[in-house]
Amino acid sequence: MINESVLNTIVDNAIKEDIGDGDHSSQSCIPDTAIGKMQLLAKEDGVLAGVEIGEHIFRRFDPNIKIETFIKDGAVIKPGDVVLTVEGKVLDLLKAERLVLNMMQRMSGIATNTRKYVTELEGLHTRILDTRKTTPGLREIEKLAVKIGGGVNHRIGLYDMVMLKDNHIDFAGGIEKAVAKVKQYLKEKNKDLKIEVEVRDFDELNQVLAIEGVQRVMLDNFTPADTKKAVELINGRLETESSGGITFETIRAYAECGVDYISVGALTHHIKSLDLSLKAL
């Protein structure tokens, strides 16, 4: 689950965005004292995600709201499945409705997409990684959905891992200089962060292998044949990650080369939300 303070910030910002100075559609025709009940229904096959987030949103409006949950995060759902029922003030239910659906539909879409990739690599040790290609302000939510779908979170942001990509390396004057500067910086700042270096060819890979202090190497836009050669050359000395130009159709071929991770930006930025609905009972 996400840190509660972070989650509250995300939810409160979404509430302000949607409700503004009031839900005038509901307030104009529903008595303030009216009590009602709704059920959350699946309308499409997929992997459910965001149940705990949905519960949190409902309780943000009313801490004492009654929620009965029947299906948990990570479960495979089909049309007609009842995920949960919620009972409380109708005005609160209607205010929460779209926010709950927006969060859960997108999260379930991400989890469903992630599970598809994870299933494709069944039997292999390669894990699926997400990226920073996320919706601004919703990264923690979307990365949680990746985990629910069976994927692995890469770094959350620029602050929790050092990742030297081509532009860093070119601006710093090469791999050796870039890594040396990073190591000195981490020492001065008293930070214990993993270092990953992106390489574009075997010359750069050999440079990384000659340097101490790097934990992971990213093989960028390597072919499957070159990936296999690179994994054999690395021989377990570093964690390995493949990235760039890898599609669902080719991902198993890369995994069969023995890489530890494959990063897939499409997990979070090429997403169709899963169809869910909240209906009055």
Side-chain angles (χ1 to χ4, degrees), residues 106 131 133-134 265-271:
R106 181 156 184 84
T131 69
K133 296 176 182 177
T134 54
L267 294 185
T268 51
H269 76 82
H270 285 171
I271 288 302

Side-chain angles (χ1 to χ4, degrees), residues 221-231 242 250 253-257:
N221 283 300
F222 278 48
T223 64
D226 282 346
T227 300
K228 191 173 189 305
K229 286 168 56 179
V231 170
S242 285
T250 63
Y254 279 90
E256 287 172 344
C257 297

Side-chain angles (χ1 to χ4, degrees), residues 35-41 66-68 70 80 82-88 90 93-94 97 277-281:
I35 301 297
K37 190 173 184 179
M38 302 182 85
Q39 62 179 1
L40 181 63
L41 293 169
K66 297 175 184 177
I67 304 172
E68 189 172 6
F70 307 107
V82 178
V83 175
L84 59 79
T85 60
V86 58
E87 184 176 358
V90 173
L93 297 180
L94 293 174
E97 176 186 1
S277 70
L278 269 165
K279 294 294 184 185
L281 285 173

Side-chain angles (χ1 to χ4, degrees), residues 11-279:
V11 171
D12 289 350
N13 285 339
I15 290 171
K16 289 175 188 175
E17 174 185 65
D18 197 37
I19 296 176
D21 71 347
D23 173 12
H24 304 304
S25 304
S26 302
Q27 290 167 208
S28 61
C29 63
I30 306 292
D32 183 62
T33 56
I35 301 297
K37 190 173 184 179
M38 302 182 85
Q39 62 179 1
L40 181 63
L41 293 169
K43 299 180 70 177
E44 191 176 357
D45 293 317
V47 176
L48 183 66
V51 176
E52 292 186 17
I53 302 296
E55 293 171 348
H56 183 90
I57 292 168
F58 281 122
R59 292 194 175 103
R60 199 71 180 150
F61 286 95
D62 177 5
N64 299 313
I65 204 163
K66 297 175 184 177
I67 304 172
E68 189 172 6
T69 300
F70 307 107
I71 306 176
K72 295 186 177 180
D73 285 332
V76 175
I77 53 175
K78 62 185 186 302
D81 284 347
V82 178
V83 175
L84 59 79
T85 60
V86 58
E87 184 176 358
K89 287 180 64 174
V90 173
L91 291 181
D92 288 336
L93 297 180
L94 293 174
K95 287 175 185 175
E97 176 186 1
R98 178 46 51 192
L99 179 52
V100 168
L101 288 174
N102 283 350
M103 291 290 193
M104 290 189 63
Q105 286 178 318
R106 181 156 184 84
M107 289 183 70
S108 296
I110 291 170
T112 299
N113 193 37
T114 302
R115 183 72 58 85
K116 182 178 77 168
Y117 280 89
V118 169
T119 301
E120 181 67 10
L121 301 191
E122 226 165 46
L124 304 174
H125 90 279
T126 306
R127 305 295 304 276
I128 296 292
L129 284 178
D130 56 22
T131 69
R132 286 167 52 239
K133 296 176 182 177
T134 54
T135 306
L138 293 181
R139 179 170 295 167
E140 297 260 12
I141 293 283
E142 295 182 348
K143 281 183 171 282
L144 174 59
V146 168
K147 289 178 71 174
I148 291 170
V152 176
N153 292 155
H154 206 303
R155 55 184 179 159
I156 298 297
L158 295 173
Y159 57 87
D160 59 342
M161 182 179 182
V162 172
M163 187 170 174
L164 298 177
K165 296 178 72 68
D166 52 359
N167 285 334
H168 297 101
I169 291 163
D170 292 342
F171 279 128
I175 288 174
E176 188 174 351
K177 288 181 179 178
V179 173
K181 290 175 181 176
V182 167
K183 288 162 69 175
Q184 182 61 32
Y185 173 88
L186 294 177
K187 183 178 180 182
E188 290 173 357
K189 299 294 184 181
N190 194 31
K191 289 189 172 294
D192 182 20
L193 300 178
K194 271 190 171 184
I195 301 174
E196 178 172 7
V197 180
E198 175 186 273
V199 299
R200 295 163 280 192
D201 52 42
F202 281 94
D203 176 57
E204 290 188 342
L205 175 57
N206 282 315
Q207 290 180 53
V208 171
L209 291 173
I211 300 170
E212 289 187 5
V214 175
Q215 286 78 41
R216 186 184 300 176
V217 62
M218 175 191 282
L219 308 171
D220 185 49
N221 283 300
F222 278 48
T223 64
D226 282 346
T227 300
K228 191 173 189 305
K229 286 168 56 179
V231 170
E232 290 171 354
L233 180 62
I234 294 165
N235 195 29
R237 285 178 282 175
L238 302 173
E239 294 178 343
T240 53
E241 176 183 341
S242 285
S243 184
I246 301 172
T247 66
F248 182 76
E249 289 69 31
T250 63
I251 195 166
R252 189 169 178 95
Y254 279 90
E256 287 172 344
C257 297
V259 291
D260 298 309
Y261 302 101
I262 298 176
S263 49
V264 181
L267 294 185
T268 51
H269 76 82
H270 285 171
I271 288 302
K272 173 186 173 295
S273 293
L274 200 71
D275 196 4
L276 306 169
S277 70
L278 269 165
K279 294 294 184 185

